[in-house]
């Protein structure tokens, strides 16, 4: 303390692990009540010894099993009119668990307009190498904004998927309470053969290009498709290659399944319902020639 000027430097540490969270350089004018603090986070490493919920309750129930790092700088300033806080931090997570499944290779630069409230500017960009809610998707780009009161606005998200593109419709996720989260994905230019391979459908093969919509619900039991619909852009082929005998279905059943061994369809629609990591129920309608 020199006159009215108070200065302070030091480290803030997480008490259980003794990990250094940030170096602090603080100045405060006792006369005017104004001051500021610079926060330097050279690197916080998350792993078995330290998880984000030990630093902030905002991540509790949102992410877990984080293996990665956070680094950056923040600044807090105050005077008689109030407090402002900003920050820019780089996140590099090799892996983590989220409500939508395990994810790897998450990288983003987060620019906070309210560091103390953990609120960001719009248009934050995040890349993710893989996420697997039951169907593996890779090389995603997500644009988002962190809002007050435990909310995250997903402005857009895109992944290459089964020869086409998977996009997420804008939505706001509320993490202030435990509830089912509804996300709607649009599919464009999907390759039927690659999609069936991803879903691991047994006894069915197909070709063709499809567009459609996949409404999904994520809760404590995982993710599921509710009322998914795909439609072919044009023709293609479909084949049921399962082992079905005449003894099982009779003569006419056998004829029907013999016809399904090779169909050239003119158009096809597929309805999908079921768990992403469990049983998937599909209803396939088409017309064509065997």
């Amino acid at each position: 303390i020199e006159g009215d000027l108070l200065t302070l430097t030091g480290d803030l540490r997480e008490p259980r692990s003794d990990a250094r969270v940030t170096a602090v350089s603080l100045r405060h004018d006792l006369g005017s009540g104004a001051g500021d603090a610079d926060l330097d986070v050279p690197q916080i490493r998350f792993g078995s010894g330290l998880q984000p919920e030990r630093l902030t309750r905002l991540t509790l129930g949102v992410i877990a099993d984080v293996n990665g790092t956070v680094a950056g700088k923040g600044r807090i300033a105050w005077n008689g009119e109030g407090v402002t806080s900003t920050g820019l931090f780089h996140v590099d997570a090799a892996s983590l668990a989220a409500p939508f499944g395990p994810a790897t290779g998450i990288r983003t630069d987060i620019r906070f307009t309210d560091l103390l409230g953990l609120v960001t500017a719009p248009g934050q960009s995040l890349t993710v190498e893989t996420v697997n809610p039951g169907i593996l998707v890779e090389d995603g780009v997500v644009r988002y904004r962190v809002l007050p009161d435990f909310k995250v606005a997903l402005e857009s998200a895109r992944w290459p998927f089964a020869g086409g593109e998977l996009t997420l419709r804008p939505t706001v996720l509320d993490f202030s309470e435990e509830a089912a989260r509804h996300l709607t994905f649009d599919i464009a230019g999907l390759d039927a053969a690659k999609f069936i391979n991803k879903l691991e459908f047994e006894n069915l093969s197909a070709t063709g290009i499809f567009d459609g919509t996949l409404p999904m619900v994520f809760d404590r039991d995982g993710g599921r498709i509710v009322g998914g619909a795909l439609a072919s852009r044009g023709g293609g082929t479909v084949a049921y290659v399962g082992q079905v005998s005449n003894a099982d279905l009779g003569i006419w059943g056998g004829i029907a399944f013999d016809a399904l061994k090779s169909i050239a369809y003119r158009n096809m629609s597929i309805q999908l319902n079921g768990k992403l990591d469990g049983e998937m129920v599909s209803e396939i309608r088409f017309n064509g020639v065997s």
Side-chain angles (χ1 to χ4, degrees):
I1 300 176
E2 295 183 1
D4 286 342
L5 182 61
L6 166 68
T7 60
L8 178 150
T9 59
D11 292 336
L12 295 180
R13 295 181 175 272
E14 195 281 317
R16 288 174 58 185
S17 64
D18 197 40
R20 187 174 74 155
V21 175
T22 181
V24 181
S25 178
L26 181 149
R27 296 154 298 278
H28 180 71
D29 189 309
L30 297 171
S32 66
D36 56 71
D38 291 320
L39 310 176
D40 182 12
V41 181
Q43 188 177 85
I44 305 172
R45 181 168 295 279
F46 296 112
S48 58
L50 178 65
Q51 285 294 297
E53 62 263 24
R54 298 264 284 274
L55 305 182
T56 171
R57 64 189 181 94
L58 293 177
T59 64
L60 189 62
V62 179
I63 56 175
D65 300 327
V66 178
N67 176 24
T69 60
V70 174
K73 296 182 182 295
R75 181 176 177 83
I76 305 170
W78 55 90
N79 55 35
E81 298 180 357
V83 179
T84 60
S85 59
T86 58
L88 177 61
F89 295 86
H90 177 72
V91 176
D92 190 340
S95 62
L96 57 80
F100 318 117
T104 66
I106 300 98
R107 297 177 180 86
T108 183
D109 290 316
I110 306 178
R111 186 176 300 278
F112 289 100
T113 54
D114 179 2
L115 179 60
L116 294 176
L118 294 185
V119 176
T120 72
Q124 308 293 304
S125 179
L126 176 148
T127 60
V128 54
E129 290 180 3
T130 69
V131 61
N132 190 349
I135 303 173
L136 181 68
V137 290
E138 302 174 280
D139 300 325
V141 178
V142 180
R143 295 184 69 83
Y144 67 96
R145 181 181 187 182
V146 183
L147 302 172
D149 302 322
F150 300 92
K151 294 181 175 65
V152 175
L154 297 177
E155 299 171 349
S156 67
R158 297 179 180 276
W159 291 266
F161 183 68
E165 186 176 57
L166 182 70
T167 60
L168 173 66
R169 294 182 185 178
T171 188
V172 175
L173 302 179
D174 186 351
F175 291 101
S176 63
E177 58 183 11
E178 185 173 341
R181 297 179 175 92
H182 298 258
L183 300 176
T184 300
F185 294 88
D186 293 317
I187 288 179
L190 176 147
D191 184 302
K194 294 179 180 179
F195 182 60
I196 287 173
N197 183 60
K198 277 185 173 291
L199 290 181
E200 298 179 350
F201 282 167
E202 296 181 358
N203 305 325
L204 183 68
S205 64
T207 64
I209 303 300
F210 287 77
D211 305 306
T213 302
L214 298 178
M216 297 187 188
V217 179
F218 295 89
D219 54 26
R220 63 173 60 189
D221 297 323
R224 62 187 184 275
I225 298 175
V226 180
L230 301 174
S232 65
R233 289 185 180 178
T237 63
V238 62
Y240 177 81
V241 293
Q243 298 298 318
V244 179
S245 68
N246 290 344
D248 293 330
L249 297 173
I251 294 176
W252 294 111
I255 291 173
F257 277 95
D258 282 343
L260 283 173
K261 290 179 180 178
S262 179
I263 289 283
Y265 66 83
R266 289 187 291 270
N267 54 67
M268 177 185 292
S269 65
I270 303 174
Q271 306 295 316
L272 291 171
N273 290 277
K275 291 179 66 64
L276 293 173
D277 58 353
E279 181 176 334
M280 184 72 66
V281 179
S282 59
E283 180 181 301
I284 302 173
R285 297 175 179 270
F286 61 89
N287 57 43
V289 179
S290 174

